[in-house]
Amino acid sequence: MRKWALAAAMAALFGMGAAEARTVRWAASGDPNTMDPHSQNVGTVTMVLQQIYDALIARNPQLGLAPGLATRWEQQEPNRWRFWLRDGVRFHEGEAFTADDVVFSITRALAPTSNFGIFVDTIERAEQVEPLVVDIITKTPDPILPNKLASIFMMSRSWSERNNAPRPQNTRAREEIFTVRNTNGTGAFRLQSREADVRTVLARNADWWGWREEDSREANVTEIVFRPIGSDATRIAALLSGEVDFVLDPPLQDLTRLRAAQGIRVLEGPEVRSLYLVFDTHRDELLYSDVRGRNPFRDLRVRQALYHAVDIQAIHRTTMRGQSVPTGTLFPPQVNGYVQAEDVRLPHDQARARALLTEAGYPNGFQITLDCSNNRYINDEQICQAIAAMWARVGVRTQLNAMPLAPFFAKIQREDTSVYMLGWGVPTLDALYSFQSLLATRNGAQGDGIWNYGRYSNPQMDALIQRMKTETGEARQAAVTEALRLYRTDVPHIPLHHQMIPWALRAHIQMPHMANNQPFFRWARVN
Amino acid sequence: MSGAIARFRDSDLWWSFKRSPVTILSAVVALICVGGALLAPFIAPHDPFDLASLNLGDAFKPPAWDEMGDAIYPLGTDDQGRDVLSAILYGARISLLVGFCATAFATIFGVSLGLLAGYIGGAVDSVLMRIADIQLTFPSILVALLVDGVVRAAVPREVHDQIALFVVVFAIGISEWPKFARTVRGSTLVERNKEYVLAARVIGVPSLRIMASHVLPNVLGPVLVIATLNLGLAILAEATLSFLGVGVPPTQPSLGTLIRIGNDFLFSGEWWIAIFPGLSLVAMVLSVNLLGDWLRDALNPKLR
């Protein structure tokens, strides 16, 4: 009898233990290359950090704006926005969240080593009005400031200064500061342990303000274990065997099998992200080419030739297995400013490509190195291999240099490249974000051309971007349309496709699929 | 020359070879592998290194006997439309090249150190053999990974891609030398006290000369056996390194690289991309190993 009682007690104990730990084991191909909230505007980093940090303004599952650390906000004057902060919020290490932390975080995001300048470029300064009221003064009226601030994470001033991290880590110089491995946010989860490239463990922050909100009331995840698994086959084997619960980027070749598998669900949807090949159109001589004394990519005909050489339908059909939307423009239709008539590709035409190369003075082609990531975008290395073969067929001998995202981003951010593949998501869902980051002349100031590592520069484009910043309504759309046309005719990039982002998860996990490819575990439920 | 052939046909080696069907079969398979690899540029239906010849439209074609297959791709194509058969032939070149060079390196290095240790003895012997002992406690693939990792961290990426092949040869070679050194040292200890060596020493032949022209030829028998067996191991080590993605650069895919690429498609039903390179690797290593076994038995009078 005593034995039975003991066994029952044990069972109850274990049963309780199982009920309490609701862990989501999450795998993706790449690992975040930093934990600093303002140093790398890269989706792989954001997808982990947004579990830990909050922004003034949050996004709901449909990507609309929602109250975050600010409960309400108002444009009081053309150049002044006021934010009322949530009361009683504490950082994971206990500091109270105040207006001073907002001032600090905005200033930090404006620092020269920040990679988030695009979101704060119009900000002159932030001012504390009261302990829980903050004003942001802009240089010019900025109607979409709340959209941008939804991407700026809030840090604690005292914690950052105490740990010698008052400014973001300089990734280009491979700098190592406290915030690269440590976090202190106000978010739903706290960083429990992290081993770069191996495992990142997040634990539920029971004090998080948002658990009481409508969207999160059902959420019950207590722990997130993130593991990067580079090999496609291993990642899927881990999911099928139950070793992980959620794969952010299941390999496309396995989707059919996953859809049929017992106990696995595939959530499908488009991502607001487009892929391009970006040329170095700035240097007089390319770094990685056998052409001496001139830069072939400064010649429009060469850029057009390489565009004509790309058979995007073959990539769509074979490499992407139908999971992509080929495009001829800068961003997908979900983005404000999209124009269907400008979404037209130069046709795949090898003869035309060769003729253009000959016309430009390269009858025998030339040699070039294409830089690519191999764990950032869906099938990125395979896409680049296919592009290399397609270019080789028109005589442009292409060396492929594919590498993991950390060295890849460091390399292109040093402008140490001649042509590279980039995928660009649009968190603000507005045209200006893409134009300003990717195509405005890179002048050292925060914002303009911050991700324009090919250093494309065209006064006409710069003028149009200026108009997008200041004008509104029809006049602004006219500027966007004209800029899209210029993008199509001047070929600063070769656009490839918009990504589709299937997520694969075990059936007992519920969470909304996000069009920015950023899972939010504050809405996840483990059954 | 004809005398040498006649002598070989008279030898024990040929006699035992003729009597072992397994050995003959292994020799044939090994010959096919080596021949196929050497003649790859002439017999391969396509050039897998010529990007311009690839057609993405031909990707994922199953082997020719499948109804979806295409006769010009006998073993099917991979994710980029590369002919799997041609990739195997060219890949075998890399695998064999690395295998041979790494074994040659390990043999020369190990035999030299073994000779020195055995002949000189004393402190030299102790130091060399303790190093060998320590290294023998690690699995050799770990040593190879270590060497490769250190070189990777030490030289810039661009340089590394150019010297990657040498690095792999060195990494595998250095991980295998203790076997050779230990064997040769043992035989040298025996030979060193024989009369012919003493005689040479008495008439004043320099030590190096004695080691090279008198001792060395008499200790080479077992070395030949170890080298043959080691060739199989070296090929496997290279495949393992390449499978882990740290071996030869992906622009020159070896069999291990091909298996790694194919591994990503195993679950989705495109089995031929991984299976055929895998089978080739098995055939190659197995035949070499069987030949090594035969050589060991044939050269060991006690086993007859």
Side-chain angles (χ1 to χ4, degrees), chain A residues 21-90:
Chain A
R22 294 181 202 275
T23 303
V24 176
R25 293 158 304 166
W26 165 28
S29 53
D31 196 54
N33 50 340
T34 182
M35 289 282 115
D36 190 299
H38 305 133
S39 139
Q40 286 286 287
N41 181 15
V42 168
T44 311
V45 175
T46 310
M47 73 184 185
V48 172
L49 285 186
Q50 70 170 2
Q51 321 297 338
I52 302 171
Y53 285 97
D54 287 320
L56 283 182
I57 293 165
R59 287 195 184 275
N60 62 26
Q62 292 75 39
L63 296 184
L65 299 184
L69 288 174
T71 48
R72 64 193 175 96
W73 51 92
E74 200 177 279
Q75 190 168 17
Q76 297 206 312
E77 293 163 29
N79 286 353
R80 178 183 291 267
W81 282 82
R82 175 158 292 182
F83 296 83
W84 285 269
L85 305 182
R86 198 176 285 276
D87 195 7
V89 174
R90 288 193 172 274

Side-chain angles (χ1 to χ4, degrees), chain A residues 298-318:
Chain A
R298 296 187 67 148
D299 189 328
L300 173 64
R301 290 167 298 187
V302 174
R303 303 200 296 270
Q304 287 171 331
L306 293 182
Y307 196 155
H308 278 297
V310 171
D311 182 357
I312 197 69
Q313 288 304 330
I315 293 179
H316 169 69
R317 215 172 35 241
T318 307

Side-chain angles (χ1 to χ4, degrees), chain B residues 132-180:
Chain B
D133 284 342
I134 293 171
Q135 201 184 316
L136 279 174
T137 59
F138 299 106
S140 51
I141 192 74
L142 220 59
V143 177
L145 272 172
L146 182 78
V147 171
D148 190 87
V150 168
V151 174
R152 228 164 251 273
V155 302
R157 207 189 138 85
E158 291 76 23
V159 182
H160 184 269
D161 271 0
Q162 305 196 338
I163 60 167
L165 212 56
F166 300 102
V167 174
V168 175
V169 167
F170 176 74
I172 299 175
I174 204 78
S175 68
E176 304 281 4
W177 72 272
K179 290 182 216 164
F180 293 92

